[in-house]
Amino acid sequence: MAPSSETTVFPTLRTPSGDIPAQAPRWNPQRPSAMPHHRYQPAESRVALPLTDRTWPSRRLQQAPLWVPVDLRDGNQALAEPMDTARKRRMFDLLVAMGFKEIEVGYPSASRTDFNFVRHLADSGAVPDDVTVSVFTAARQDLIDRTVASVEGLPRVLVHLYTATAPTWRDVVLGRSRSEVHRLIRDAAAHLLRRAEEHPGADIRFEFSPEVFNLTEPDFVLEVCDSLTELWDASPDRPVIHNLPATVEIATPNVYADQIEYMDRHLARRESVILSVHPHNDRGTGVACAELAVLAGAQRVEGCLFGNGERTGNVDLVTLALNLYAQGVNPMIDFSDIDAVREVVEHCNRLPVHPRHPYGGDLVHTAFSGTHQDAIAKGMAHHAKQAAETGVSADTAPWAVPYLPIDPGDIGRTYEEVIRINSQSGKGGIAHLLLQHHGLDLPRTMRPDFSHTVQQVTDTSGQELTHKELWELFHTTYIAPVEDGPITLTSWNTTEIRPGEHLFACTLRTGGQETSCQGTGNGPLAALTDALRTSDIAVDILGYAEHATATGPGSPAVAYAECRVDDVTCWGAGWDTSLLTASVHAVMAAVNRAGRGRA
């Protein structure tokens, strides 16, 4: 009898840190890894997390924040081959066309290329009247001077000042105390203000990022940000932006949300502050961090298209915006041609977008699994039917199709990519592609038969089948046997000799010999089977279907016939502009396929 204890005691495991007694529920036999996890500290040991009465979990995302793409600065810094002016301009034009109204365009004090690109924007008139250009600078007077010089002549500018504030960065990188770092930031902010005031006609606003905010003491961030809000004399009509980056992800997204809600509640002159976030993706949860941060009070999100950025990347604005779209919220950015967006981004970054990337990847709207394909095919048919019944077009009707969170057509994808055929595919997906591309509506009882044929081919080749290859396989399997089988009709005709009685007369070629025969029945096909019996070919039609494949005169018709020939049951199909001819061919194709089966 098995022991009743819920836990099992395993022998101790020797690891570099010593013996670890291993106890686990009986259903979980996992053992401790020898990896030195003790070297790393949880978030709560590294930074104070003062919020206990959080309210963000009960909120809902109901509108898009201000999206700010940083592809041309933060994303560009992460490229092995940074963009030149031509690639930067192509990316900038894409961002403008998509509807972004604030765009970070470079780090002009960091390189001549970035400085020259900002000057190119100023001199070329490329910046629309409603777009604000953002430029990035460290908190150093000479770098600020260079930055201010770069934006001369631009109509609307946001100067983005940053300094790392977290203890490890203060101690290891800057070698300064809290008070010294605060003084450095305030002195730089004051210098920036003076330089901006030297251009009284210019529209220059300010942004500050306490880099590595998520590892900085909350009281220190408040102290620094509030002092800059006061120094820059922020007001509701000229707000300051405080951007709070998760520069290196170190905790679950709920921790970042708590930190953002704490700042949202405690920042001074809150109505004069735009609370911004800039998540990175070190833990793979950058999107979740941004979404929860917006719930917690963030009004602005910085990120990159498709998530390019240092290490594992910046937060992905494509996923964030289309996640909102999938919830019925207007994303305020145009993604109606996602492939065009991806093509520009891949060209400018010289990095491919992963085929499984949410929304934009080659395969994300594609189903290979048979059960998925069947559900999608049924869902799309149901969607089209409901749209027709309510008198609206299918592309405006409410969307509820299994496995497809949004209509691929809304972002410029075609339905050709939704279902693709390989060895995992099922009868529903195969039937869907034949219907969509070739007008074949296979009878339900025929679908398993063709699915078995498809699987044999794909198992052997290990390759996908395109819809054209699928049609060719169907034609070879079910239609072609009417002409290349052992029994063919060299000539035939049928007439109704009296009401309800038909005569079928034909010449059969079997084994190189021709035989004339005829038969009668209550329809042309019944008369055909009677004629075949006179040549010792016993045929029973078990199932039959027919339909046009398109509209208009001269459109091909297709017929499907399931026949039992002696003791072998086979499907055949016929394709012709004459429905009668198609039906006769379907029966003869089944007869020939059955003959091969007997052989």
Side-chain angles (χ1 to χ4, degrees):
M1 183 175 178
S4 59
S5 171
E6 292 186 0
T7 61
T8 299
V9 179
F10 296 102
T12 57
L13 175 70
R14 186 71 183 171
T15 74
S17 57
D19 291 338
I20 300 176
Q23 285 192 333
R26 297 187 68 83
W27 52 265
N28 184 0
Q30 292 181 156
R31 302 292 298 278
S33 164
M35 296 175 67
H37 63 280
H38 61 279
R39 299 180 62 205
Y40 305 101
Q41 295 177 287
E44 59 268 22
S45 340
R46 303 177 69 184
V47 63
L49 306 174
L51 191 67
T52 57
D53 57 339
R54 61 191 58 80
T55 63
W56 61 262
S58 61
R59 300 177 190 169
R60 298 290 180 268
L61 295 173
Q62 297 179 318
Q63 65 180 32
L66 175 63
W67 307 115
V68 181
V70 295
D71 300 77
L72 293 167
R73 194 275 301 175
D74 205 352
N76 190 53
Q77 288 179 265
L79 297 177
E81 188 179 340
M83 291 181 242
D84 56 19
T85 295
R87 285 156 62 204
K88 273 180 167 276
R89 176 60 189 270
R90 188 174 181 189
M91 177 74 80
F92 179 80
D93 289 344
L94 170 70
L95 297 172
V96 169
M98 293 174 70
F100 290 103
K101 298 303 180 185
E102 191 173 300
I103 302 170
E104 192 167 85
V105 299
Y107 193 161
S109 64
S111 74
R112 179 179 297 276
T113 301
D114 271 25
F115 184 91
N116 289 345
F117 179 68
V118 178
R119 292 310 311 149
H120 164 77
L121 293 179
D123 297 337
S124 65
V127 183
D129 291 341
D130 59 349
V131 172
T132 296
V133 164
S134 172
V135 286
F136 192 71
T137 181
R140 226 175 70 189
Q141 289 192 9
D142 59 327
L143 302 183
I144 291 169
D145 291 343
R146 179 78 168 160
T147 302
V148 172
S150 74
V151 299
E152 180 75 33
L154 283 167
R156 281 155 313 285
V157 175
L158 181 68
V159 179
H160 182 176
L161 186 72
Y162 84 96
T163 296
T165 55
T168 300
W169 277 254
R170 295 195 308 258
D171 298 341
V172 176
V173 181
L174 300 176
R176 299 180 186 234
S177 65
R178 269 180 55 153
S179 60
E180 288 172 331
V181 169
H182 189 177
R183 185 164 56 252
L184 178 154
I185 294 168
R186 189 174 174 84
D187 288 348
H191 182 72
L192 173 59
L193 178 62
R194 288 193 296 272
R195 291 305 316 273
E197 289 173 341
E198 294 171 5
H199 304 274
D203 183 1
I204 302 177
R205 293 170 46 231
F206 308 122
E207 173 181 356
F208 172 65
S209 287
E211 191 177 357
V212 209
F213 153 79
N214 57 323
L215 274 171
T216 304
E217 306 92 331
D219 65 310
F220 184 46
V221 177
L222 279 173
E223 175 188 325
V224 173
C225 289
D226 287 348
S227 72
L228 298 192
T229 302
E230 180 181 11
L231 173 67
W232 286 334
D233 194 21
S235 62
D237 60 339
R238 287 192 64 78
V240 66
I241 296 168
H242 287 313
N243 183 55
L244 308 178
T247 309
V248 181
E249 271 197 311
I250 51 92
T252 51
N254 60 295
V255 172
Y256 189 52
D258 284 352
Q259 293 174 313
I260 297 302
E261 184 170 346
Y262 179 83
M263 296 298 293
D264 179 47
R265 292 188 195 178
H266 292 91
L267 281 167
R269 296 162 71 167
R270 182 64 185 86
E271 72 285 354
S272 301
V273 172
I274 297 171
L275 181 54
S276 175
V277 292
H278 181 114
H280 279 252
N281 199 43
D282 300 87
R283 301 180 74 253
T285 56
V287 166
C289 279
E291 291 182 328
L292 299 192
V294 172
L295 289 176
Q299 301 153 288
R300 179 181 182 272
V301 176
E302 295 184 352
C304 290
L305 297 180
F306 300 108
N308 175 53
E310 295 282 8
R311 305 180 307 280
T312 57
N314 288 32
V315 71
D316 173 15
L317 296 185
V318 173
T319 301
L320 281 171
L322 288 176
N323 280 354
L324 282 182
Y325 183 74
Q327 298 296 311
V329 177
N330 193 316
M332 309 300 283
I333 299 295
D334 184 3
F335 290 98
S336 60
D337 191 348
I338 193 72
D339 287 340
V341 173
R342 189 184 69 184
E343 189 275 328
V344 172
V345 172
E346 288 181 327
H347 169 81
C348 294
N349 289 342
R350 296 184 178 170
L351 291 172
V353 171
H354 195 281
R356 296 291 183 191
H357 193 288
Y359 301 106
D362 273 337
L363 297 179
V364 297
H365 302 290
T366 299
F368 292 102
S369 161
T371 54
H372 290 202
Q373 291 175 346
D374 184 60
I376 290 171
K378 290 176 179 175
M380 292 175 71
H382 180 71
H383 174 75
K385 179 182 176 184
Q386 280 201 320
E389 289 174 350
T390 55
V392 299
S393 62
D395 59 356
T396 60
W399 182 256
V401 172
Y403 297 110
L404 295 175
I406 65 171
D407 182 347
D410 286 354
I411 55 174
R413 288 292 180 86
T414 67
Y415 293 111
E416 182 174 350
E417 296 128 349
V418 172
I419 292 176
R420 288 164 61 174
I421 303 303
N422 65 11
S423 60
Q424 306 299 311
S425 304
K427 57 186 183 295
I430 293 166
H432 175 79
L433 285 187
L434 287 175
L435 177 61
Q436 289 293 312
H437 296 284
H438 304 286
L440 296 180
D441 189 6
L442 270 59
R444 291 196 174 276
T445 50
M446 186 185 190
R447 294 178 186 183
D449 188 79
F450 186 46
S451 177
H452 178 68
T453 301
V454 171
Q455 192 162 39
Q456 286 181 318
V457 172
T458 53
D459 276 339
T460 301
S461 69
Q463 303 294 317
E464 287 184 59
L465 291 182
T466 66
H467 70 83
K468 292 180 181 178
E469 292 168 331
L470 203 62
W471 157 250
E472 290 168 1
L473 180 60
F474 181 86
H475 187 279
T476 300
T477 304
Y478 297 105
I479 297 175
V482 73
E483 296 178 350
D484 61 10
I487 303 170
T488 57
L489 293 174
T490 58
S491 64
W492 62 271
N493 65 79
T494 182
T495 56
E496 189 173 14
I497 54 179
R498 60 182 60 89
E501 186 176 359
H502 292 254
L503 173 69
F504 192 98
C506 62
T507 300
L508 284 178
R509 175 176 291 157
T510 307
Q513 296 184 343
E514 292 190 352
T515 305
S516 296
C517 55
Q518 63 180 30
T520 59
N522 60 5
L525 295 187
L528 167 62
T529 61
D530 188 52
L532 292 172
R533 282 191 191 93
T534 66
S535 293
D536 296 325
I537 304 169
V539 180
D540 290 317
I541 299 176
L542 307 179
Y544 177 81
E546 62 185 35
H547 63 81
T549 60
T551 58
S555 298
V558 64
Y560 314 91
E562 183 183 22
C563 300
R564 183 170 56 235
V565 184
D566 296 330
D567 58 348
V568 178
T569 299
C570 280
W571 279 93
W575 176 279
D576 199 89
T577 53
S578 162
L579 188 54
L580 175 59
T581 300
S583 65
V584 171
H585 285 181
V587 172
M588 292 307 298
V591 168
N592 279 322
R593 293 189 71 227
R596 291 170 180 171
R598 287 196 305 272

